[in-house]
Short mmCIF file of all heavy atoms in Angstrom, two decimals:
data_model
loop_
_atom_site.label_atom_id
_atom_site.label_comp_id
_atom_site.label_asym_id
_atom_site.label_seq_id
_atom_site.Cartn_x
_atom_site.Cartn_y
_atom_site.Cartn_z
N GLY A 275 1.13 7.76 47.52
CA GLY A 275 0.38 6.54 47.80
C GLY A 275 0.41 5.58 46.63
O GLY A 275 1.46 5.33 46.03
N ASP A 276 -0.76 5.05 46.31
CA ASP A 276 -0.90 4.12 45.18
C ASP A 276 -1.72 4.81 44.09
O ASP A 276 -2.77 5.39 44.38
CB ASP A 276 -1.60 2.83 45.63
CG ASP A 276 -1.71 1.83 44.49
OD1 ASP A 276 -2.68 1.92 43.71
OD2 ASP A 276 -0.83 0.96 44.38
N PRO A 277 -1.27 4.77 42.82
CA PRO A 277 -1.96 5.53 41.77
C PRO A 277 -3.38 5.05 41.50
O PRO A 277 -4.20 5.81 40.98
CB PRO A 277 -1.06 5.34 40.54
CG PRO A 277 -0.28 4.11 40.82
CD PRO A 277 -0.08 4.07 42.30
N SER A 278 -3.70 3.79 41.85
CA SER A 278 -5.02 3.25 41.52
C SER A 278 -6.05 3.45 42.64
O SER A 278 -7.20 3.05 42.49
CB SER A 278 -4.91 1.76 41.19
OG SER A 278 -4.51 1.02 42.33
N ILE A 279 -5.63 4.05 43.75
CA ILE A 279 -6.57 4.29 44.86
C ILE A 279 -6.76 5.80 45.00
O ILE A 279 -5.85 6.52 45.44
CB ILE A 279 -6.04 3.68 46.17
CG1 ILE A 279 -5.86 2.17 46.02
CG2 ILE A 279 -7.00 3.98 47.32
CD1 ILE A 279 -5.27 1.49 47.24
N PHE A 280 -7.92 6.29 44.61
CA PHE A 280 -8.26 7.71 44.65
C PHE A 280 -7.23 8.57 43.91
O PHE A 280 -6.97 9.71 44.29
CB PHE A 280 -8.40 8.20 46.10
CG PHE A 280 -9.41 7.41 46.90
CD1 PHE A 280 -9.07 6.88 48.14
CD2 PHE A 280 -10.68 7.18 46.41
CE1 PHE A 280 -9.98 6.14 48.88
CE2 PHE A 280 -11.61 6.44 47.14
CZ PHE A 280 -11.26 5.92 48.37
N GLY A 281 -6.63 8.02 42.86
CA GLY A 281 -5.61 8.76 42.12
C GLY A 281 -6.06 9.23 40.76
O GLY A 281 -5.24 9.72 39.97
N ARG A 282 -7.35 9.10 40.45
CA ARG A 282 -7.91 9.50 39.15
C ARG A 282 -7.18 8.81 37.99
O ARG A 282 -7.04 9.36 36.89
CB ARG A 282 -7.89 11.02 39.00
CG ARG A 282 -8.65 11.72 40.12
CD ARG A 282 -8.85 13.19 39.90
NE ARG A 282 -9.90 13.46 38.92
CZ ARG A 282 -10.45 14.67 38.75
NH1 ARG A 282 -10.07 15.68 39.51
NH2 ARG A 282 -11.37 14.86 37.84
N LEU A 283 -6.72 7.61 38.27
CA LEU A 283 -5.99 6.84 37.26
C LEU A 283 -6.85 6.53 36.05
O LEU A 283 -6.40 6.61 34.91
CB LEU A 283 -5.45 5.56 37.90
CG LEU A 283 -4.68 4.61 36.98
CD1 LEU A 283 -3.41 5.27 36.46
CD2 LEU A 283 -4.31 3.32 37.73
N ALA A 284 -8.11 6.16 36.29
CA ALA A 284 -8.99 5.77 35.18
C ALA A 284 -9.12 6.90 34.15
O ALA A 284 -9.14 6.66 32.94
CB ALA A 284 -10.36 5.37 35.71
N GLU A 285 -9.21 8.14 34.64
CA GLU A 285 -9.35 9.28 33.72
C GLU A 285 -8.09 9.49 32.90
O GLU A 285 -8.15 9.82 31.71
CB GLU A 285 -9.66 10.55 34.51
CG GLU A 285 -10.98 10.49 35.26
CD GLU A 285 -11.07 11.56 36.33
OE1 GLU A 285 -11.09 12.75 35.96
OE2 GLU A 285 -11.11 11.21 37.52
N GLU A 286 -6.93 9.30 33.53
CA GLU A 286 -5.68 9.58 32.83
C GLU A 286 -5.32 8.49 31.83
O GLU A 286 -4.72 8.78 30.79
CB GLU A 286 -4.57 9.79 33.86
CG GLU A 286 -4.80 11.05 34.68
CD GLU A 286 -3.75 11.32 35.75
OE1 GLU A 286 -2.85 10.47 35.94
OE2 GLU A 286 -3.85 12.37 36.41
N ILE A 287 -5.68 7.25 32.12
CA ILE A 287 -5.36 6.20 31.15
C ILE A 287 -6.38 6.13 30.03
O ILE A 287 -6.08 5.59 28.95
CB ILE A 287 -5.23 4.81 31.82
CG1 ILE A 287 -6.57 4.34 32.38
CG2 ILE A 287 -4.14 4.81 32.87
CD1 ILE A 287 -6.53 2.92 32.89
N LYS A 288 -7.59 6.67 30.24
CA LYS A 288 -8.62 6.62 29.19
C LYS A 288 -8.13 7.30 27.91
O LYS A 288 -8.31 6.78 26.80
CB LYS A 288 -9.90 7.30 29.70
CG LYS A 288 -11.02 7.43 28.66
CD LYS A 288 -11.54 6.06 28.24
CE LYS A 288 -12.84 6.15 27.45
NZ LYS A 288 -12.73 6.92 26.20
N VAL A 289 -7.50 8.45 28.05
CA VAL A 289 -6.99 9.17 26.88
C VAL A 289 -5.90 8.35 26.19
O VAL A 289 -5.85 8.26 24.97
CB VAL A 289 -6.45 10.55 27.30
CG1 VAL A 289 -5.75 11.23 26.12
CG2 VAL A 289 -7.58 11.42 27.82
N LEU A 290 -5.02 7.72 26.98
CA LEU A 290 -3.95 6.91 26.40
C LEU A 290 -4.52 5.69 25.67
O LEU A 290 -4.03 5.30 24.61
CB LEU A 290 -2.98 6.48 27.49
CG LEU A 290 -2.29 7.61 28.26
CD1 LEU A 290 -1.34 7.03 29.31
CD2 LEU A 290 -1.52 8.53 27.31
N GLU A 291 -5.55 5.07 26.24
CA GLU A 291 -6.19 3.94 25.57
C GLU A 291 -6.79 4.36 24.24
O GLU A 291 -6.66 3.65 23.23
CB GLU A 291 -7.27 3.34 26.48
CG GLU A 291 -6.71 2.58 27.67
CD GLU A 291 -7.80 2.04 28.58
OE1 GLU A 291 -8.90 2.65 28.63
OE2 GLU A 291 -7.58 1.01 29.23
N ASP A 292 -7.43 5.53 24.22
CA ASP A 292 -8.04 6.01 22.97
C ASP A 292 -6.98 6.29 21.91
O ASP A 292 -7.22 6.09 20.71
CB ASP A 292 -8.85 7.28 23.24
CG ASP A 292 -10.10 7.02 24.06
OD1 ASP A 292 -10.51 5.85 24.15
OD2 ASP A 292 -10.66 7.98 24.63
N LEU A 293 -5.81 6.76 22.35
CA LEU A 293 -4.72 7.07 21.41
C LEU A 293 -3.83 5.86 21.12
O LEU A 293 -2.92 5.95 20.31
CB LEU A 293 -3.84 8.19 21.99
CG LEU A 293 -4.49 9.58 22.09
CD1 LEU A 293 -3.61 10.52 22.92
CD2 LEU A 293 -4.74 10.16 20.71
N LYS A 294 -4.12 4.75 21.80
CA LYS A 294 -3.32 3.53 21.66
C LYS A 294 -1.84 3.78 22.03
O LYS A 294 -0.91 3.34 21.35
CB LYS A 294 -3.44 2.94 20.26
CG LYS A 294 -4.82 2.39 19.95
CD LYS A 294 -4.91 1.75 18.58
CE LYS A 294 -6.23 1.02 18.39
NZ LYS A 294 -7.41 1.86 18.56
N ILE A 295 -1.67 4.50 23.15
CA ILE A 295 -0.34 4.74 23.72
C ILE A 295 -0.17 3.81 24.92
O ILE A 295 -1.03 3.76 25.79
CB ILE A 295 -0.18 6.22 24.14
CG1 ILE A 295 -0.23 7.12 22.90
CG2 ILE A 295 1.12 6.42 24.91
CD1 ILE A 295 -0.22 8.60 23.22
N ASN A 296 0.94 3.10 24.96
CA ASN A 296 1.15 2.12 26.02
C ASN A 296 1.36 2.80 27.37
O ASN A 296 1.88 3.91 27.46
CB ASN A 296 2.36 1.25 25.70
CG ASN A 296 2.50 0.09 26.67
OD1 ASN A 296 1.55 -0.64 26.92
ND2 ASN A 296 3.68 -0.08 27.24
N PHE A 297 0.95 2.13 28.43
CA PHE A 297 1.19 2.62 29.79
C PHE A 297 1.46 1.46 30.72
O PHE A 297 1.07 0.31 30.46
CB PHE A 297 -0.02 3.44 30.30
CG PHE A 297 -1.32 2.68 30.32
CD1 PHE A 297 -1.70 1.94 31.43
CD2 PHE A 297 -2.15 2.69 29.21
CE1 PHE A 297 -2.89 1.24 31.44
CE2 PHE A 297 -3.35 1.99 29.21
CZ PHE A 297 -3.73 1.26 30.33
N ASN A 298 2.18 1.74 31.79
CA ASN A 298 2.49 0.76 32.83
C ASN A 298 2.15 1.35 34.19
O ASN A 298 2.24 2.57 34.37
CB ASN A 298 3.98 0.39 32.79
CG ASN A 298 4.34 -0.50 31.62
OD1 ASN A 298 4.16 -1.71 31.68
ND2 ASN A 298 4.83 0.09 30.55
N ILE A 299 1.78 0.51 35.12
CA ILE A 299 1.41 0.96 36.45
C ILE A 299 2.37 0.35 37.46
O ILE A 299 2.58 -0.87 37.48
CB ILE A 299 -0.05 0.58 36.78
CG1 ILE A 299 -0.98 1.30 35.82
CG2 ILE A 299 -0.39 0.93 38.23
CD1 ILE A 299 -2.40 0.79 35.83
N VAL A 300 2.95 1.21 38.29
CA VAL A 300 3.85 0.78 39.35
C VAL A 300 3.14 1.05 40.68
O VAL A 300 2.99 2.20 41.08
CB VAL A 300 5.19 1.55 39.30
CG1 VAL A 300 6.12 1.07 40.41
CG2 VAL A 300 5.85 1.40 37.93
N PRO A 301 2.66 0.01 41.37
CA PRO A 301 1.89 0.23 42.60
C PRO A 301 2.73 0.83 43.71
O PRO A 301 3.97 0.72 43.71
CB PRO A 301 1.40 -1.18 42.97
CG PRO A 301 2.38 -2.10 42.32
CD PRO A 301 2.82 -1.42 41.06
N GLY A 302 2.05 1.47 44.67
CA GLY A 302 2.75 2.07 45.79
C GLY A 302 2.07 1.74 47.11
O GLY A 302 0.93 1.28 47.14
N ILE A 303 2.77 1.97 48.20
CA ILE A 303 2.21 1.76 49.53
C ILE A 303 1.22 2.88 49.82
O ILE A 303 1.58 4.06 49.81
CB ILE A 303 3.31 1.71 50.60
CG1 ILE A 303 4.22 0.50 50.34
CG2 ILE A 303 2.73 1.66 52.00
CD1 ILE A 303 5.40 0.43 51.28
N SER A 304 -0.02 2.52 50.09
CA SER A 304 -1.06 3.51 50.35
C SER A 304 -1.15 3.82 51.84
O SER A 304 -0.60 3.11 52.69
CB SER A 304 -2.40 2.96 49.85
OG SER A 304 -3.45 3.85 50.16
N THR A 305 -1.88 4.89 52.15
CA THR A 305 -2.09 5.28 53.55
C THR A 305 -2.70 4.14 54.36
O THR A 305 -2.32 3.93 55.52
CB THR A 305 -3.01 6.50 53.62
OG1 THR A 305 -2.44 7.55 52.84
CG2 THR A 305 -3.17 6.99 55.05
N ILE A 306 -3.62 3.39 53.76
CA ILE A 306 -4.26 2.32 54.52
C ILE A 306 -3.27 1.19 54.84
O ILE A 306 -3.43 0.49 55.83
CB ILE A 306 -5.50 1.76 53.80
CG1 ILE A 306 -5.14 1.22 52.40
CG2 ILE A 306 -6.60 2.80 53.70
CD1 ILE A 306 -6.29 0.50 51.74
N ASN A 307 -2.23 1.04 54.01
CA ASN A 307 -1.20 0.04 54.31
C ASN A 307 -0.31 0.48 55.46
O ASN A 307 0.18 -0.34 56.24
CB ASN A 307 -0.31 -0.20 53.08
CG ASN A 307 -1.09 -0.68 51.88
OD1 ASN A 307 -1.14 0.01 50.87
ND2 ASN A 307 -1.71 -1.83 51.98
#
Side-chain angles (χ1 to χ4, degrees):
D276 182 275
S278 66
I279 300 177
F280 304 129
R282 303 189 76 166
L283 179 63
E285 297 163 65
E286 294 179 355
I287 66 173
K288 175 65 167 60
V289 173
L290 301 180
E291 288 178 332
D292 291 343
L293 292 169
K294 292 183 171 58
I295 295 174
N296 188 50
F297 58 90
N298 286 277
I299 296 168
V300 181
I303 296 176
S304 176
T305 304
I306 58 172
N307 302 116

